[in-house]
Amino acid sequence: MRLGVAGPVGTGKSSLIATLCRALSGELRLGVITNDIYTDEDARFLKSAGVLDPERIRPVETGACPHTAIRDDVTANLLAVEDMEADFGPLDLVVIESGGDNLTATFSPALVDAQLFVLDVAGGGDVVRKGGPGIARADLLVINKTDLGEHVGVDVERMTREGREARGGSPVIALSRHDEASVRSLTGWVRDTLARYRTGEHTPVDPGPMAPHFHPDPHGEEAHPHNHAHGQEPEHAGQPT
C-alpha cells in the first residue's frame, strides 16, 4: 500500500513518518519516498534519525511546486517506488511524503492508495476552519504537536472537535510523538487501513475537487459549467458531438 503524507511546511510530516517507522518497522516491510523542491533534506533527516535502513529512504527532487509531483505528473514518484520495490520488495507499506505545500495540496489516487493530511497546533487553532480538500476529504486528518497547545494559546480539544466537524465525522487524530496513546491511535489507523487494502475493502478516493469546466452544447446552445466528479458521465455523454 502507498500512503501519502501531505500538509503545509513545518507541520511535522517528517517527524510523523519517523514516528510511524519506529513503531511499525518491526512488523511491516517499509519504504519511504520524500519530496523536496531542490534538496533531499527530508530524506537526510529521516536517515539520520535511524528509523530505517538508509537505502529504504529515497528522495525525489520535484524542481517545482510540491503538488506537481504528487498530483499533476506523478511519474518521478512512481518510478522511485518501483525502484525501491525492485530492490527490497515485496514491501507492505511505502510512505510518500509531499514537500510542504498549502491547504489545497492532495495526492493523486494514481500515486497513493490512502492519504493523511497534517496540521499542527502552532499554525493556529483556526486553520481547520479554513477548509480545503486535504482537511475535508483526506482519509485521515492529523492535528500534530498537541504538546505545544498550551504554549501557543491553542485549545487542542476544540481544534480537534472542529476538525471532525469540518470532515463530517471522518477520522481525526490529535498527535504528539511524546504521547504514546496518540501514537498508538495513529499506528492503529495505519494497520486498519492496510488490512482493508489487502482485503479489497479500501478504495483510493481523490479528495481534490474537480475544477469547474465547460462542455460545448451539441445543439449550438450556450455552453454551461459542470462540476461532476471524476468517473461520472457528463450530462451529454452518448450524444453526438
Side-chain angles (χ1 to χ4, degrees):
M1 185 178 81
R2 297 191 294 263
L3 174 65
V5 178
V9 174
T11 55
K13 297 184 296 297
S14 298
S15 294
L16 182 151
I17 292 170
T19 298
L20 278 177
C21 290
R22 287 190 190 98
L24 297 175
S25 60
E27 62 185 270
L28 298 176
R29 294 162 294 188
L30 302 175
V32 176
I33 305 295
T34 67
N35 282 240
D36 281 300
I37 299 178
Y38 297 120
T39 73
D40 61 352
E41 183 173 342
D42 290 337
R44 286 189 282 112
F45 164 78
L46 289 169
K47 289 178 180 181
S48 68
V51 294
L52 285 180
D53 174 352
E55 286 301 310
R56 291 175 178 259
I57 302 169
R58 298 186 179 179
V60 168
E61 293 185 27
T62 63
C65 291
H67 67 266
T68 58
I70 66 168
R71 184 167 187 85
D72 299 336
D73 182 355
V74 301
T75 306
N77 275 292
L78 285 177
L79 290 173
V81 172
E82 289 176 2
D83 287 346
M84 184 175 292
E85 289 180 330
D87 292 340
F88 294 103
L91 298 173
D92 298 305
L93 180 68
V94 178
V95 182
I96 303 175
E97 178 184 4
S98 169
D101 211 318
N102 57 36
L103 298 179
T104 67
T106 57
F107 287 83
S108 167
L111 176 59
V112 300
D113 302 293
Q115 55 189 290
L116 58 86
F117 197 84
V118 187
L119 299 177
D120 73 298
V121 299
D126 62 338
V127 178
V128 291
R129 298 196 299 272
K130 296 182 183 297
I135 291 174
R137 294 187 292 277
D139 296 277
L140 174 69
L141 174 65
V142 175
I143 296 175
N144 201 14
K145 306 180 189 178
T146 56
D147 52 300
L148 299 181
E150 61 180 311
H151 303 293
V152 294
V154 171
D155 183 336
V156 174
E157 185 177 333
R158 176 179 176 180
M159 188 175 179
T160 305
R161 182 178 67 252
E162 290 179 342
R164 291 194 178 97
E165 292 169 355
R167 290 170 53 76
S170 293
V172 178
I173 291 176
L175 178 72
S176 168
R177 61 190 175 95
H178 305 293
D179 175 23
E180 287 299 322
S182 68
V183 173
R184 286 195 297 272
S185 294
L186 177 62
T187 56
W189 179 87
V190 172
R191 290 187 187 96
D192 290 346
T193 304
L194 179 58
R196 289 188 292 111
Y197 169 80
R198 286 170 167 167
T199 60
E201 296 175 51
H202 176 82
T203 302
V205 176
D206 186 353
M210 194 169 185
H213 59 288
F214 289 84
H215 292 290
D217 191 291
H219 304 294
E221 298 176 6
E222 185 178 354
H224 50 284
H226 284 282
N227 279 295
H228 57 72
H230 289 284
Q232 293 180 340
E233 291 294 333
E235 183 176 322
H236 299 296
Q239 296 187 16
T241 58

